[in-house]
Amino acid sequence: MVAFSVKNKVALVTGGVAGIGLGIAKELLKKGAKGVVLADINKKLAGKALQEIEETFGKNKAIYVETDVRSIEQFEEAFQKTLESFEHVDILVNNAGILDDSRWNDEVDINVKGTINGILLGFEKYLPTSRSGKQAVILNLSSTAGVKAFSNIPIYSSTKFAIHGMTLGWGDKVHYERTKVKVIAICPGPTQTNLLATMSGKNLGAPYEEQLAPNNSDLKTQTVEQCAAATLPVIELAETGTVWVIEGGEPPYQFILPDRFKLTEKFHVSNK
């Protein structure tokens, strides 16, 4: 598979006005992207994010589009405004998400349905026809909670496992051959964002809160900048259908599920 260069490319980033989303948007511009679209529901933070980008990268490098990813109509409007402003769209970063098992209906809608909306629009409609080069990229944001279940936030974990599954399914090479759109995922470990800082209480109650400290005791945190910088080589070099863990400020490494047909040791249910 040919390497993908972000230089002169246009990216649509959901959840893009803060945290990892904004970090990735800035890193893309740092590496020569033509422009970024920050699709987010948070209008209050949008002005600050655009100002930061303009001060660092100059004018006309970013726009904000108010977008609730749960609405496929609003998501499609974000794609259309991307084309109006930059003529092309080459990268979709499905970053929008929340961590709050106490609001699990919203959590599932945003994390799972929102990502599906983005893939359906990007993969089947906009990226194959409106990209500027020979291939395009969809980057999905899973989590280390999408490769290892966390007992304190089982619903959040399940949404991130779902994103992992979407990436493997849509990232199959048979789909790449018909669309020339790579679908890949990153699984950030604990990253110094507002989401991490406000985890306490965002669960199903006291028994789950008790598991917060044990689940996080051995985890190493990283900055947004470290996570974003590690994401760029994944976007440019990773094969479609691959999933990459980014944690502790270290280089990304690929997470590979075992092939059940190649298991050398199988454990069966038995009555003892």
Side-chain angles (χ1 to χ4, degrees), residues 54-249:
E54 182 174 324
E55 289 174 352
T56 304
F57 303 102
K59 294 183 178 181
N60 303 318
K61 289 292 186 178
I63 65 168
Y64 166 70
V65 182
E66 185 176 358
T67 308
D68 185 336
V69 296
R70 293 172 290 187
S71 165
I72 199 164
E73 292 80 14
Q74 288 189 35
F75 214 140
E76 181 151 29
E77 184 178 0
F79 273 103
Q80 292 169 348
K81 289 190 176 179
T82 300
L83 297 180
E84 289 172 9
S85 296
F86 297 108
E87 298 182 349
H88 302 287
V89 58
D90 305 281
I91 303 165
L92 169 64
V93 180
N94 274 319
N95 167 73
I98 65 169
L99 189 166
D100 192 345
D101 276 15
S102 69
R103 295 170 50 206
W104 64 266
N105 279 294
D106 289 334
E107 190 174 51
V108 171
D109 276 353
I110 295 168
N111 297 4
V112 179
K113 182 181 177 182
T115 302
I116 292 172
N117 283 341
I119 295 174
L120 288 175
L121 289 167
F123 195 77
E124 301 292 353
K125 188 171 183 179
Y126 286 96
L127 294 175
T129 60
S130 301
R131 60 177 178 251
S132 60
K134 293 182 179 180
Q135 61 178 334
V137 174
I138 293 177
L139 176 72
N140 296 324
L141 271 286
S142 182
S143 165
T144 48
V147 296
K148 175 190 178 297
F150 282 70
S151 60
N152 60 308
I153 43 173
I155 301 174
Y156 177 79
S157 286
S158 70
T159 67
K160 293 303 179 177
F161 269 88
I163 292 171
H164 189 159
M166 293 176 210
T167 303
L168 299 182
W170 268 297
D172 192 283
K173 289 184 179 179
V174 69
H175 288 308
Y176 175 80
E177 289 305 321
R178 72 178 176 87
T179 63
K180 293 298 184 284
V181 179
K182 292 199 304 182
V183 182
I184 51 184
I186 59 169
C187 298
T191 306
Q192 294 166 13
T193 65
N194 184 60
L195 182 147
L196 179 65
T198 59
M199 279 186 65
S200 180
K202 293 187 174 180
N203 51 55
L204 296 172
Y208 298 88
E209 183 73 18
E210 291 170 4
Q211 295 301 311
L212 176 60
N215 272 272
N216 294 323
S217 59
D218 296 327
L219 300 179
K220 296 183 292 183
T221 64
Q222 63 191 351
T223 66
V224 167
E225 291 75 18
Q226 288 173 320
C227 181
T231 299
L232 264 289
V234 174
I235 292 174
E236 294 196 313
L237 301 173
E239 294 279 330
T240 189
T242 57
V243 175
W244 300 80
V245 174
I246 300 176
E247 59 183 343

Side-chain angles (χ1 to χ4, degrees), residues 41-52:
I41 60 171
N42 197 326
K43 292 187 289 186
K44 291 182 179 179
L45 291 180
K48 180 176 181 291
L50 291 174
Q51 181 180 355
E52 289 176 5

